[in-house]
Amino acid sequence: MTRLFNDPAAFADEALEGFAAAHRGWVRPVTGGVVRAAGTPAGQVAVVVGGGSGHYPAFSGLVGRGLAHGAAVGNVFASPSAQQIRSVARSADGGAGVLLMYGNYAGDVLHFGQAAERLAGDGIEARTFAVTDDISSAAPEESAKRRGIAGDLPVFKAASAAAEEGLPLDEVLRTAEHANARTRSFGIAFSGCTLPGADHPLFTVPEARMAVGLGIHGEPGIGEESLPTADEAARLMVTALLKELPEGVDTPAGQRAAVILNGLGSVKYEELFVVYRKVAALLGDAGVDIVDPEVGELVTSFDMAGVSLTLTWLDDRLEQLWRAPADTPAYRKGAPLAQEPAAEAAAPYVEDTDDTRVPDATEESRASAAHVLAALNAVADIVDTHADELGRIDAVAGDGDHGIGMQRGTTAALEAAVRAHDLGAGAGTVLIHAGDAWADKAGGTSGALWGTILRSLGTRLGDQDAPTATEVARGVSDASDAVRRLGGAEVGDKTMVDVLVPFADTLAEAAGEGLPLTESWQRAAVTAEKAAAATADLLPRKGRARPHAEKSLGTADAGAHSLALITRAVHGVLPDHPLDQH
C-alpha cells in the first residue's frame, strides 16, 4: 500500500513536483507535466507522451534525449485533461508539430483528441496515437480496442528516435504505427494495488491464485489460475505471446525481438531475474534472437504485485530505433549522451488565464446563476456522500477511481462557479467555467464527459435570458448529443449514456407538454433512476470495464449511477414539488 503521502488529493501533484526537483538536468516542470530541460531542438517533431499518475517511470521518467520531449501527467489512474496536454505540448513544440502518444484508454483518447483539436486551433500541427499492445484485452480481430500497457515503452521509443533523426511528423506517426503493430504484451498479478489514502486494494486475488490478463489501472484480471512457480509463469506468458505473431511473421524461429519483462510495483528485481532466466530459455528454444532485453520496473501500477512480458518483433528499421541511445531520468541506453545546455530551452508556454473578467449578463441571467450555483453545490454534496459507493461499484470491473474522480471534478466545478458568480457572470458563463474546471481537474473519461455536459448546457442557456424549461431541455439534449459524439457510446453500451439519453428525452417531452421546469425535471429524474438501475443487466461494450464484462453483470454502471444521483440532487434545489419516490 501507499504509506507516505499528505493529502491523497494532492499526491499526484506533489509527486510530480518532487520528481522535477530531483531531475533538473533532464526535465523542467510546466503546467500539466514536464518537458525536456533543454527544450526541443528547433525543427524537430516533439513527441509528448502521457497518462495518469501511478505508473512511474511512465510517463514523466521517460522524458529526455532519445525518448519523449514532454509528458502530460494526470491524477492517479486518470488521464490528464485536454488543457494539461495542450500546455505541455505547446511548451514542447519545436516548430515541426507534435505527436501525442498514450495508452488506449477511453479518458486518454478523449482528452488527447481534444488537445489535438485545440493545438490545431493554436496553429500547431498535431497527431495522436494510442498504443494497443495488451493481447488479453481484446481478440486479434478487434486489436484496435486493446489497452496499452508496458508496450508503451518500445512504441514511444521508436517514434521518439525517429523524431530525433529529424523525420517529419507524418513519418514519425507511421513509425509509431509500425512499432505498435509488431508489439504484444501479456500480464499476470498476485495482488491488487492500493491507492493513496485507501484502506484496501482495488481488487484481491484469492490465496494460492493469480489474476491473468490484467491492466495497469488496478483492473482485475480477465481470469484466475493457480499460483505458478517462476518457470510456470514464464511459460504462460511466452506461450500466450508466441500464439499471436504479427502480420508478416509466420514463425518465431529466426526472428529478432525486443523483450521487456516488466515489474508492476511489488515484484522485486531478483524475482524478475528468476522469471527472465526461463523467458530467455523458452524464447531461445523457439528460435528467437533477443535484442537488448529490459528487465525491471518500466510501466507500473503503484504497489501491484505482478509482471508483464512484452515482445516487439523487430525488422532492421525497428531494431535500429530500439538500439538508438536514450538518456532520461528512468531509462538510459547506449553511450552516454552529453547534456544539452539548458540555455537552449524556450520559455514554457503560459496560457493567458485572466479569470477576473466575465461577459456581460442581464439581471435575469445573473439571478439564474445563483440557482446554478445552488445546483452545483448540491451535486458536490451528493458526490461526497456517495464517493465510496461509486468507487466500490467501479472496482467491480474497472479501476475503482470513479468516486475520487467525481469528487475532484465537482469540487473544482463548484469553486470555478463561485468565482464566476462573484464576478457577476450569467448562468451560461457560470456553467461553462464549471465545466472547464471539472474537465481540467478530474481528467479521465468522466471529466471529459461532464465538462462537455456543463459546457453544452451553458452554451445553450447563455447570459441574457432567464432559462425556461424548454431551453434547459434543449441544453440537456445538446449535452446528450455531444457526449455520444465525443465518447462514441450509445444506449445499451452500459455507460452514462444509458441514463443521459432517456433523461434528456423525458425532460424534452415534459417541457414540450408545457410543464414547468421543476415538474419536468422530476419526471426526467425518475426516468434516470430507473435507467441507472437497469444498467445492472447490461454487459459493458465501452471503457475499462469492457474486458471484464461478465464481472459487471448484476452491478449498475458507476457513471450511470452517479448521473442518476446528480439528477435527484439538482431536483432537490429547484422550487417545491418533492421528487416522486415511485
Side-chain angles (χ1 to χ4, degrees), residues 435-449:
D436 289 349
W438 191 323
D440 191 36
K441 296 301 183 184
T445 306
S446 66
L449 298 182

Side-chain angles (χ1 to χ4, degrees), residues 292-312:
D292 285 1
E294 296 286 349
V295 179
E297 294 184 347
L298 296 159
V299 180
T300 62
S301 185
F302 266 112
D303 61 334
M304 183 185 291
V307 298
S308 65
L309 180 65
T310 298
L311 301 181
T312 297

Side-chain angles (χ1 to χ4, degrees), residues 66-67 153-163 172 175-176 179 317-318 321-322:
L67 243 161
L153 175 61
V155 180
F156 291 172
K157 188 175 187 303
S160 300
V172 174
T175 300
R317 176 58 172 154
L318 286 177
L321 297 169
W322 176 242

